[in-house]
Amino acid sequence: MRIQQVFRICNSCRHILKSKVIQPLPQVSQALSYTTEPTRYTVSYEDFKHVQDILPPSRIPEPPTHDSYPTPSGWVAPSEEAPDLPYFISRTKFHVLPIVEKEKPRDQPVTVVFYIDGDIWALEKELKELIRPYVEFDPATRVHEVTRSIILKGHHAQVIEKFLYAKGF
Amino acid sequence: TNEQMSNSSYKSLLRNLPRVNLQNLKANPYAEVKHSPNRGPHAIGLKNGVRPNIKPRIGYVQDKTPFQKRIPKYGYNREQHLKRQYFPLTLWQLQRHVDLGRIDPTKPVDITAISNGRVLSMVGSESNYYGIYLLEQGANIFKAKLDIEVQIVDELALATVEKAGGTVSTAFYDRRSFVALCNPVEYFLMGKPIHKRLLPPQELVTYYTDPKVRGYLSDPAKIWEERMKLAKKYGYDLPELSEEQKHLMVEGKKDPRQVFNGLMPGSIVNLADKTVLVPENEHFKQHAAM
């Protein structure tokens, strides 16, 4: 009796509850069917061609043979026979002349020619005369025999490149 | 006034003033101000062999407003986290890499081709790089016939590439897609399904719908008109495009929601078995519908 008294619905509430029809809740499984379904997939070999186009090469490619040199960007292929000179300059792994322009500390421009075999001093003499018209004072060069390189004061990469391409290196 | 007042004048002032308060009184400018000596527990720079919790905080300057408080704030670096950067790529660099065989002119040149040919190293950079900026340096020697896709183009660079017989298009890649394209192997090795590329943000929509820049969201018919206008402006004959190039322009190689050409979002690439797993369920197909 006491429980009935506690949970007794008042007259107005009873009227409201009678007029409304309580609808059942929607089934949860219908909304989230994709979680219960297993994913079906196909294994395709044809689509992998699109992946193979994107994969990077593992080796540096060989440059193609051009009809005429220099190419539009100014690159010249090395001659097939070594030139008849007391020194030899080999190309880098990227098929480019081994000349680098850099800035030493306190704004000192410097050009480095490396990978030199044979008589380095003969090449140093020639490079000095090559650079003389572009330099205010005596051209400053330094031979580093351990690293097989010549270090020149100033930026002279273009002039040296032209000189070495003409020799056939 | 500087003159000292007599006692009687003080009294008369007091009588005449309505009320004496702090606003009526003034400090003595000739008084000696005693500064406390730099000794004791809060002394600065005097404590040798003493534990650091006795010293004052970093930046404390005794009896003065510190430097970092004196200078007012100004928004020099505001919105820095929202700004985008692009890698500069000159036409001379492109031509040199075509001459050396590192870029294949028969295939389309996009971010992956440039990354694979080691033209630019776009890996390990800061987190606000969104693509490549094609610059006009080297326009006088450029002769390669390429189909390029970059993010921003200069007008003269556009003209030189089209004069040589190539096509240019600009496309937007969000940060995640850009990183995936720079190093696709690392992306595939993660083993996750390919994501959908995002559309450009509001401020870039006007750029990528502009045919003058050959945007990927612009009308192909208008791009055709703009090509002729640019040829007239710079004074060169427009070369004829091949069928493949025309197909590229009209239908486009990639969908705007696609990251990799030919691979649908939702699929997984299996590098070990050399296959691609394509899902078959309905909701995956709807997601990949783009």
Side-chain angles (χ1 to χ4, degrees), chain B residues 89-122:
Chain B
L89 177 69
T90 57
L91 289 173
W92 184 89
Q93 273 178 313
L94 266 180
Q95 182 64 53
R96 174 50 70 100
H97 287 89
V98 166
D99 292 340
L100 291 174
R102 291 209 239 158
I103 285 181
D104 194 359
T106 56
K107 290 182 184 165
V109 178
D110 64 338
I111 295 166
T112 22
I114 287 165
S115 182
N116 290 346
R118 311 318 194 260
V119 182
L120 296 171
S121 86
M122 300 183 280

PDB file of all heavy atoms in Angstrom, chain B residues 89-122:
ATOM      1  N   LEU B  89      61.740  26.598 -56.877  1.00  0.00           N
ATOM      2  CA  LEU B  89      62.283  25.761 -57.948  1.00  0.00           C
ATOM      3  C   LEU B  89      62.419  26.626 -59.195  1.00  0.00           C
ATOM      4  O   LEU B  89      61.434  27.177 -59.678  1.00  0.00           O
ATOM      5  CB  LEU B  89      61.334  24.592 -58.227  1.00  0.00           C
ATOM      6  CG  LEU B  89      61.721  23.649 -59.367  1.00  0.00           C
ATOM      7  CD1 LEU B  89      62.936  22.865 -59.008  1.00  0.00           C
ATOM      8  CD2 LEU B  89      60.575  22.730 -59.693  1.00  0.00           C
ATOM      9  N   THR B  90      63.672  26.762 -59.684  1.00  0.00           N
ATOM     10  CA  THR B  90      63.886  27.604 -60.863  1.00  0.00           C
ATOM     11  C   THR B  90      63.796  26.753 -62.123  1.00  0.00           C
ATOM     12  O   THR B  90      63.977  25.531 -62.095  1.00  0.00           O
ATOM     13  CB  THR B  90      65.259  28.275 -60.816  1.00  0.00           C
ATOM     14  OG1 THR B  90      66.239  27.251 -60.713  1.00  0.00           O
ATOM     15  CG2 THR B  90      65.394  29.189 -59.625  1.00  0.00           C
ATOM     16  N   LEU B  91      63.539  27.430 -63.247  1.00  0.00           N
ATOM     17  CA  LEU B  91      63.492  26.728 -64.535  1.00  0.00           C
ATOM     18  C   LEU B  91      64.872  26.192 -64.894  1.00  0.00           C
ATOM     19  O   LEU B  91      64.993  25.145 -65.536  1.00  0.00           O
ATOM     20  CB  LEU B  91      62.993  27.676 -65.626  1.00  0.00           C
ATOM     21  CG  LEU B  91      61.517  28.055 -65.547  1.00  0.00           C
ATOM     22  CD1 LEU B  91      61.212  29.124 -66.568  1.00  0.00           C
ATOM     23  CD2 LEU B  91      60.639  26.858 -65.773  1.00  0.00           C
ATOM     24  N   TRP B  92      65.938  26.901 -64.468  1.00  0.00           N
ATOM     25  CA  TRP B  92      67.293  26.422 -64.756  1.00  0.00           C
ATOM     26  C   TRP B  92      67.555  25.083 -64.087  1.00  0.00           C
ATOM     27  O   TRP B  92      68.122  24.163 -64.659  1.00  0.00           O
ATOM     28  CB  TRP B  92      68.323  27.458 -64.270  1.00  0.00           C
ATOM     29  CG  TRP B  92      69.712  27.063 -64.621  1.00  0.00           C
ATOM     30  CD1 TRP B  92      70.378  27.358 -65.768  1.00  0.00           C
ATOM     31  CD2 TRP B  92      70.591  26.270 -63.831  1.00  0.00           C
ATOM     32  NE1 TRP B  92      71.623  26.802 -65.742  1.00  0.00           N
ATOM     33  CE2 TRP B  92      71.782  26.123 -64.573  1.00  0.00           C
ATOM     34  CE3 TRP B  92      70.505  25.654 -62.577  1.00  0.00           C
ATOM     35  CZ2 TRP B  92      72.878  25.391 -64.098  1.00  0.00           C
ATOM     36  CZ3 TRP B  92      71.587  24.930 -62.112  1.00  0.00           C
ATOM     37  CH2 TRP B  92      72.757  24.807 -62.877  1.00  0.00           C
ATOM     38  N   GLN B  93      67.087  24.934 -62.828  1.00  0.00           N
ATOM     39  CA  GLN B  93      67.255  23.668 -62.105  1.00  0.00           C
ATOM     40  C   GLN B  93      66.544  22.529 -62.832  1.00  0.00           C
ATOM     41  O   GLN B  93      67.081  21.434 -62.992  1.00  0.00           O
ATOM     42  CB  GLN B  93      66.661  23.787 -60.701  1.00  0.00           C
ATOM     43  CG  GLN B  93      67.590  24.341 -59.667  1.00  0.00           C
ATOM     44  CD  GLN B  93      66.903  24.458 -58.328  1.00  0.00           C
ATOM     45  OE1 GLN B  93      65.789  24.964 -58.226  1.00  0.00           O
ATOM     46  NE2 GLN B  93      67.530  24.001 -57.294  1.00  0.00           N
ATOM     47  N   LEU B  94      65.304  22.824 -63.285  1.00  0.00           N
ATOM     48  CA  LEU B  94      64.543  21.808 -63.997  1.00  0.00           C
ATOM     49  C   LEU B  94      65.267  21.384 -65.270  1.00  0.00           C
ATOM     50  O   LEU B  94      65.389  20.184 -65.561  1.00  0.00           O
ATOM     51  CB  LEU B  94      63.171  22.363 -64.386  1.00  0.00           C
ATOM     52  CG  LEU B  94      61.997  22.108 -63.447  1.00  0.00           C
ATOM     53  CD1 LEU B  94      60.752  22.740 -64.019  1.00  0.00           C
ATOM     54  CD2 LEU B  94      61.781  20.636 -63.228  1.00  0.00           C
ATOM     55  N   GLN B  95      65.765  22.365 -66.021  1.00  0.00           N
ATOM     56  CA  GLN B  95      66.447  22.065 -67.284  1.00  0.00           C
ATOM     57  C   GLN B  95      67.709  21.248 -67.038  1.00  0.00           C
ATOM     58  O   GLN B  95      67.995  20.297 -67.755  1.00  0.00           O
ATOM     59  CB  GLN B  95      66.798  23.378 -67.994  1.00  0.00           C
ATOM     60  CG  GLN B  95      67.466  23.215 -69.337  1.00  0.00           C
ATOM     61  CD  GLN B  95      66.569  22.544 -70.332  1.00  0.00           C
ATOM     62  OE1 GLN B  95      65.446  22.958 -70.549  1.00  0.00           O
ATOM     63  NE2 GLN B  95      67.042  21.491 -70.960  1.00  0.00           N
ATOM     64  N   ARG B  96      68.463  21.604 -65.982  1.00  0.00           N
ATOM     65  CA  ARG B  96      69.693  20.875 -65.674  1.00  0.00           C
ATOM     66  C   ARG B  96      69.391  19.422 -65.333  1.00  0.00           C
ATOM     67  O   ARG B  96      70.087  18.498 -65.753  1.00  0.00           O
ATOM     68  CB  ARG B  96      70.403  21.592 -64.524  1.00  0.00           C
ATOM     69  CG  ARG B  96      71.637  20.942 -63.929  1.00  0.00           C
ATOM     70  CD  ARG B  96      72.686  20.507 -64.916  1.00  0.00           C
ATOM     71  NE  ARG B  96      73.407  21.541 -65.583  1.00  0.00           N
ATOM     72  CZ  ARG B  96      74.632  21.969 -65.251  1.00  0.00           C
ATOM     73  NH1 ARG B  96      75.248  21.481 -64.227  1.00  0.00           N
ATOM     74  NH2 ARG B  96      75.227  22.904 -65.954  1.00  0.00           N
ATOM     75  N   HIS B  97      68.312  19.183 -64.566  1.00  0.00           N
ATOM     76  CA  HIS B  97      67.974  17.812 -64.174  1.00  0.00           C
ATOM     77  C   HIS B  97      67.382  17.011 -65.314  1.00  0.00           C
ATOM     78  O   HIS B  97      67.487  15.786 -65.332  1.00  0.00           O
ATOM     79  CB  HIS B  97      67.061  17.824 -62.954  1.00  0.00           C
ATOM     80  CG  HIS B  97      67.788  18.202 -61.713  1.00  0.00           C
ATOM     81  ND1 HIS B  97      67.919  19.507 -61.293  1.00  0.00           N
ATOM     82  CD2 HIS B  97      68.469  17.467 -60.828  1.00  0.00           C
ATOM     83  CE1 HIS B  97      68.636  19.545 -60.188  1.00  0.00           C
ATOM     84  NE2 HIS B  97      68.988  18.323 -59.875  1.00  0.00           N
ATOM     85  N   VAL B  98      66.760  17.684 -66.276  1.00  0.00           N
ATOM     86  CA  VAL B  98      66.306  16.980 -67.485  1.00  0.00           C
ATOM     87  C   VAL B  98      67.520  16.588 -68.324  1.00  0.00           C
ATOM     88  O   VAL B  98      67.585  15.483 -68.870  1.00  0.00           O
ATOM     89  CB  VAL B  98      65.335  17.869 -68.275  1.00  0.00           C
ATOM     90  CG1 VAL B  98      65.108  17.334 -69.660  1.00  0.00           C
ATOM     91  CG2 VAL B  98      64.020  17.975 -67.553  1.00  0.00           C
ATOM     92  N   ASP B  99      68.508  17.488 -68.422  1.00  0.00           N
ATOM     93  CA  ASP B  99      69.729  17.186 -69.186  1.00  0.00           C
ATOM     94  C   ASP B  99      70.486  16.016 -68.579  1.00  0.00           C
ATOM     95  O   ASP B  99      71.091  15.219 -69.294  1.00  0.00           O
ATOM     96  CB  ASP B  99      70.644  18.416 -69.214  1.00  0.00           C
ATOM     97  CG  ASP B  99      70.064  19.558 -70.022  1.00  0.00           C
ATOM     98  OD1 ASP B  99      69.182  19.291 -70.850  1.00  0.00           O
ATOM     99  OD2 ASP B  99      70.490  20.703 -69.820  1.00  0.00           O
ATOM    100  N   LEU B 100      70.491  15.925 -67.256  1.00  0.00           N
ATOM    101  CA  LEU B 100      71.226  14.857 -66.587  1.00  0.00           C
ATOM    102  C   LEU B 100      70.426  13.572 -66.477  1.00  0.00           C
ATOM    103  O   LEU B 100      70.926  12.575 -65.974  1.00  0.00           O
ATOM    104  CB  LEU B 100      71.636  15.301 -65.188  1.00  0.00           C
ATOM    105  CG  LEU B 100      72.693  16.400 -65.125  1.00  0.00           C
ATOM    106  CD1 LEU B 100      72.887  16.830 -63.686  1.00  0.00           C
ATOM    107  CD2 LEU B 100      74.002  15.928 -65.700  1.00  0.00           C
ATOM    108  N   GLY B 101      69.155  13.588 -66.892  1.00  0.00           N
ATOM    109  CA  GLY B 101      68.370  12.367 -66.876  1.00  0.00           C
ATOM    110  C   GLY B 101      67.695  12.063 -65.559  1.00  0.00           C
ATOM    111  O   GLY B 101      67.208  10.965 -65.348  1.00  0.00           O
ATOM    112  N   ARG B 102      67.663  13.030 -64.653  1.00  0.00           N
ATOM    113  CA  ARG B 102      67.044  12.760 -63.359  1.00  0.00           C
ATOM    114  C   ARG B 102      65.542  13.014 -63.382  1.00  0.00           C
ATOM    115  O   ARG B 102      64.813  12.520 -62.526  1.00  0.00           O
ATOM    116  CB  ARG B 102      67.691  13.631 -62.280  1.00  0.00           C
ATOM    117  CG  ARG B 102      69.108  13.204 -62.017  1.00  0.00           C
ATOM    118  CD  ARG B 102      69.467  13.515 -60.587  1.00  0.00           C
ATOM    119  NE  ARG B 102      70.596  14.398 -60.514  1.00  0.00           N
ATOM    120  CZ  ARG B 102      70.876  15.160 -59.460  1.00  0.00           C
ATOM    121  NH1 ARG B 102      70.098  15.164 -58.418  1.00  0.00           N
ATOM    122  NH2 ARG B 102      71.936  15.918 -59.470  1.00  0.00           N
ATOM    123  N   ILE B 103      65.087  13.807 -64.333  1.00  0.00           N
ATOM    124  CA  ILE B 103      63.642  14.026 -64.517  1.00  0.00           C
ATOM    125  C   ILE B 103      63.286  13.524 -65.904  1.00  0.00           C
ATOM    126  O   ILE B 103      63.950  13.875 -66.883  1.00  0.00           O
ATOM    127  CB  ILE B 103      63.284  15.514 -64.349  1.00  0.00           C
ATOM    128  CG1 ILE B 103      63.323  15.887 -62.873  1.00  0.00           C
ATOM    129  CG2 ILE B 103      61.912  15.798 -64.892  1.00  0.00           C
ATOM    130  CD1 ILE B 103      62.967  17.314 -62.601  1.00  0.00           C
ATOM    131  N   ASP B 104      62.260  12.684 -65.987  1.00  0.00           N
ATOM    132  CA  ASP B 104      61.831  12.094 -67.249  1.00  0.00           C
ATOM    133  C   ASP B 104      60.805  13.002 -67.905  1.00  0.00           C
ATOM    134  O   ASP B 104      59.718  13.185 -67.353  1.00  0.00           O
ATOM    135  CB  ASP B 104      61.224  10.718 -66.947  1.00  0.00           C
ATOM    136  CG  ASP B 104      61.068   9.878 -68.191  1.00  0.00           C
ATOM    137  OD1 ASP B 104      61.413  10.379 -69.286  1.00  0.00           O
ATOM    138  OD2 ASP B 104      60.590   8.740 -68.074  1.00  0.00           O
ATOM    139  N   PRO B 105      61.115  13.604 -69.057  1.00  0.00           N
ATOM    140  CA  PRO B 105      60.138  14.528 -69.660  1.00  0.00           C
ATOM    141  C   PRO B 105      58.925  13.824 -70.254  1.00  0.00           C
ATOM    142  O   PRO B 105      57.924  14.478 -70.528  1.00  0.00           O
ATOM    143  CB  PRO B 105      60.956  15.244 -70.741  1.00  0.00           C
ATOM    144  CG  PRO B 105      62.123  14.384 -71.004  1.00  0.00           C
ATOM    145  CD  PRO B 105      62.385  13.608 -69.789  1.00  0.00           C
ATOM    146  N   THR B 106      58.994  12.476 -70.405  1.00  0.00           N
ATOM    147  CA  THR B 106      57.833  11.785 -70.962  1.00  0.00           C
ATOM    148  C   THR B 106      56.748  11.561 -69.911  1.00  0.00           C
ATOM    149  O   THR B 106      55.600  11.314 -70.248  1.00  0.00           O
ATOM    150  CB  THR B 106      58.251  10.423 -71.525  1.00  0.00           C
ATOM    151  OG1 THR B 106      58.885   9.681 -70.485  1.00  0.00           O
ATOM    152  CG2 THR B 106      59.217  10.581 -72.677  1.00  0.00           C
ATOM    153  N   LYS B 107      57.121  11.639 -68.637  1.00  0.00           N
ATOM    154  CA  LYS B 107      56.140  11.430 -67.554  1.00  0.00           C
ATOM    155  C   LYS B 107      55.794  12.767 -66.913  1.00  0.00           C
ATOM    156  O   LYS B 107      56.582  13.713 -66.988  1.00  0.00           O
ATOM    157  CB  LYS B 107      56.737  10.501 -66.493  1.00  0.00           C
ATOM    158  CG  LYS B 107      56.892   9.101 -66.973  1.00  0.00           C
ATOM    159  CD  LYS B 107      57.444   8.206 -65.903  1.00  0.00           C
ATOM    160  CE  LYS B 107      57.684   6.813 -66.459  1.00  0.00           C
ATOM    161  NZ  LYS B 107      58.529   6.007 -65.592  1.00  0.00           N
ATOM    162  N   PRO B 108      54.622  12.872 -66.250  1.00  0.00           N
ATOM    163  CA  PRO B 108      54.271  14.144 -65.592  1.00  0.00           C
ATOM    164  C   PRO B 108      55.205  14.430 -64.427  1.00  0.00           C
ATOM    165  O   PRO B 108      55.608  13.528 -63.696  1.00  0.00           O
ATOM    166  CB  PRO B 108      52.839  13.922 -65.103  1.00  0.00           C
ATOM    167  CG  PRO B 108      52.630  12.468 -65.129  1.00  0.00           C
ATOM    168  CD  PRO B 108      53.528  11.895 -66.163  1.00  0.00           C
ATOM    169  N   VAL B 109      55.543  15.712 -64.283  1.00  0.00           N
ATOM    170  CA  VAL B 109      56.484  16.155 -63.260  1.00  0.00           C
ATOM    171  C   VAL B 109      55.668  16.772 -62.132  1.00  0.00           C
ATOM    172  O   VAL B 109      55.086  17.840 -62.296  1.00  0.00           O
ATOM    173  CB  VAL B 109      57.476  17.180 -63.839  1.00  0.00           C
ATOM    174  CG1 VAL B 109      58.410  17.679 -62.775  1.00  0.00           C
ATOM    175  CG2 VAL B 109      58.266  16.555 -64.970  1.00  0.00           C
ATOM    176  N   ASP B 110      55.622  16.065 -61.017  1.00  0.00           N
ATOM    177  CA  ASP B 110      54.933  16.633 -59.852  1.00  0.00           C
ATOM    178  C   ASP B 110      55.835  16.479 -58.646  1.00  0.00           C
ATOM    179  O   ASP B 110      57.034  16.256 -58.781  1.00  0.00           O
ATOM    180  CB  ASP B 110      53.578  15.948 -59.649  1.00  0.00           C
ATOM    181  CG  ASP B 110      53.745  14.474 -59.326  1.00  0.00           C
ATOM    182  OD1 ASP B 110      54.815  13.910 -59.666  1.00  0.00           O
ATOM    183  OD2 ASP B 110      52.828  13.875 -58.743  1.00  0.00           O
ATOM    184  N   ILE B 111      55.278  16.612 -57.451  1.00  0.00           N
ATOM    185  CA  ILE B 111      56.094  16.630 -56.237  1.00  0.00           C
ATOM    186  C   ILE B 111      56.906  15.351 -56.099  1.00  0.00           C
ATOM    187  O   ILE B 111      58.092  15.380 -55.747  1.00  0.00           O
ATOM    188  CB  ILE B 111      55.200  16.840 -54.995  1.00  0.00           C
ATOM    189  CG1 ILE B 111      54.545  18.219 -55.043  1.00  0.00           C
ATOM    190  CG2 ILE B 111      56.005  16.719 -53.725  1.00  0.00           C
ATOM    191  CD1 ILE B 111      53.424  18.394 -54.070  1.00  0.00           C
ATOM    192  N   THR B 112      56.301  14.182 -56.389  1.00  0.00           N
ATOM    193  CA  THR B 112      57.036  12.916 -56.240  1.00  0.00           C
ATOM    194  C   THR B 112      58.171  12.826 -57.248  1.00  0.00           C
ATOM    195  O   THR B 112      59.268  12.370 -56.907  1.00  0.00           O
ATOM    196  CB  THR B 112      56.127  11.697 -56.445  1.00  0.00           C
ATOM    197  OG1 THR B 112      55.007  12.083 -57.189  1.00  0.00           O
ATOM    198  CG2 THR B 112      55.727  11.075 -55.163  1.00  0.00           C
ATOM    199  N   ALA B 113      57.943  13.269 -58.484  1.00  0.00           N
ATOM    200  CA  ALA B 113      59.006  13.194 -59.495  1.00  0.00           C
ATOM    201  C   ALA B 113      60.173  14.078 -59.103  1.00  0.00           C
ATOM    202  O   ALA B 113      61.337  13.697 -59.268  1.00  0.00           O
ATOM    203  CB  ALA B 113      58.457  13.620 -60.851  1.00  0.00           C
ATOM    204  N   ILE B 114      59.871  15.261 -58.560  1.00  0.00           N
ATOM    205  CA  ILE B 114      60.927  16.182 -58.142  1.00  0.00           C
ATOM    206  C   ILE B 114      61.656  15.645 -56.920  1.00  0.00           C
ATOM    207  O   ILE B 114      62.874  15.800 -56.778  1.00  0.00           O
ATOM    208  CB  ILE B 114      60.320  17.577 -57.888  1.00  0.00           C
ATOM    209  CG1 ILE B 114      59.974  18.220 -59.232  1.00  0.00           C
ATOM    210  CG2 ILE B 114      61.254  18.461 -57.105  1.00  0.00           C
ATOM    211  CD1 ILE B 114      59.079  19.405 -59.142  1.00  0.00           C
ATOM    212  N   SER B 115      60.923  14.968 -56.041  1.00  0.00           N
ATOM    213  CA  SER B 115      61.555  14.402 -54.855  1.00  0.00           C
ATOM    214  C   SER B 115      62.386  13.178 -55.203  1.00  0.00           C
ATOM    215  O   SER B 115      63.476  12.984 -54.653  1.00  0.00           O
ATOM    216  CB  SER B 115      60.456  14.035 -53.851  1.00  0.00           C
ATOM    217  OG  SER B 115      60.992  13.538 -52.681  1.00  0.00           O
ATOM    218  N   ASN B 116      61.909  12.341 -56.133  1.00  0.00           N
ATOM    219  CA  ASN B 116      62.632  11.136 -56.531  1.00  0.00           C
ATOM    220  C   ASN B 116      63.879  11.459 -57.327  1.00  0.00           C
ATOM    221  O   ASN B 116      64.880  10.751 -57.246  1.00  0.00           O
ATOM    222  CB  ASN B 116      61.744  10.222 -57.365  1.00  0.00           C
ATOM    223  CG  ASN B 116      60.653   9.584 -56.542  1.00  0.00           C
ATOM    224  OD1 ASN B 116      60.699   9.618 -55.319  1.00  0.00           O
ATOM    225  ND2 ASN B 116      59.670   9.021 -57.203  1.00  0.00           N
ATOM    226  N   GLY B 117      63.823  12.529 -58.133  1.00  0.00           N
ATOM    227  CA  GLY B 117      64.994  12.929 -58.893  1.00  0.00           C
ATOM    228  C   GLY B 117      65.986  13.733 -58.079  1.00  0.00           C
ATOM    229  O   GLY B 117      67.010  14.163 -58.601  1.00  0.00           O
ATOM    230  N   ARG B 118      65.690  13.906 -56.785  1.00  0.00           N
ATOM    231  CA  ARG B 118      66.554  14.639 -55.853  1.00  0.00           C
ATOM    232  C   ARG B 118      66.851  16.055 -56.341  1.00  0.00           C
ATOM    233  O   ARG B 118      67.957  16.561 -56.184  1.00  0.00           O
ATOM    234  CB  ARG B 118      67.868  13.925 -55.567  1.00  0.00           C
ATOM    235  CG  ARG B 118      67.881  12.463 -55.191  1.00  0.00           C
ATOM    236  CD  ARG B 118      66.839  11.996 -54.247  1.00  0.00           C
ATOM    237  NE  ARG B 118      67.159  10.669 -53.722  1.00  0.00           N
ATOM    238  CZ  ARG B 118      66.647   9.531 -54.153  1.00  0.00           C
ATOM    239  NH1 ARG B 118      65.773   9.522 -55.131  1.00  0.00           N
ATOM    240  NH2 ARG B 118      67.005   8.397 -53.599  1.00  0.00           N
ATOM    241  N   VAL B 119      65.863  16.670 -56.968  1.00  0.00           N
ATOM    242  CA  VAL B 119      66.018  18.070 -57.374  1.00  0.00           C
ATOM    243  C   VAL B 119      65.977  18.953 -56.137  1.00  0.00           C
ATOM    244  O   VAL B 119      66.784  19.854 -55.959  1.00  0.00           O
ATOM    245  CB  VAL B 119      64.900  18.479 -58.359  1.00  0.00           C
ATOM    246  CG1 VAL B 119      65.085  19.880 -58.817  1.00  0.00           C
ATOM    247  CG2 VAL B 119      64.835  17.518 -59.512  1.00  0.00           C
ATOM    248  N   LEU B 120      64.968  18.676 -55.274  1.00  0.00           N
ATOM    249  CA  LEU B 120      64.824  19.381 -54.001  1.00  0.00           C
ATOM    250  C   LEU B 120      64.674  18.333 -52.917  1.00  0.00           C
ATOM    251  O   LEU B 120      63.986  17.331 -53.122  1.00  0.00           O
ATOM    252  CB  LEU B 120      63.564  20.250 -53.999  1.00  0.00           C
ATOM    253  CG  LEU B 120      63.459  21.403 -54.976  1.00  0.00           C
ATOM    254  CD1 LEU B 120      62.051  21.961 -54.925  1.00  0.00           C
ATOM    255  CD2 LEU B 120      64.434  22.491 -54.614  1.00  0.00           C
ATOM    256  N   SER B 121      65.268  18.567 -51.776  1.00  0.00           N
ATOM    257  CA  SER B 121      65.030  17.674 -50.649  1.00  0.00           C
ATOM    258  C   SER B 121      63.993  18.328 -49.760  1.00  0.00           C
ATOM    259  O   SER B 121      64.233  19.328 -49.103  1.00  0.00           O
ATOM    260  CB  SER B 121      66.318  17.415 -49.885  1.00  0.00           C
ATOM    261  OG  SER B 121      66.548  18.397 -48.941  1.00  0.00           O
ATOM    262  N   MET B 122      62.784  17.737 -49.809  1.00  0.00           N
ATOM    263  CA  MET B 122      61.665  18.368 -49.107  1.00  0.00           C
ATOM    264  C   MET B 122      61.290  17.562 -47.874  1.00  0.00           C
ATOM    265  O   MET B 122      60.171  17.601 -47.418  1.00  0.00           O
ATOM    266  CB  MET B 122      60.476  18.457 -50.067  1.00  0.00           C
ATOM    267  CG  MET B 122      60.837  19.280 -51.271  1.00  0.00           C
ATOM    268  SD  MET B 122      59.530  19.525 -52.418  1.00  0.00           S
ATOM    269  CE  MET B 122      59.541  18.011 -53.303  1.00  0.00           C
TER     270      MET B 122
END
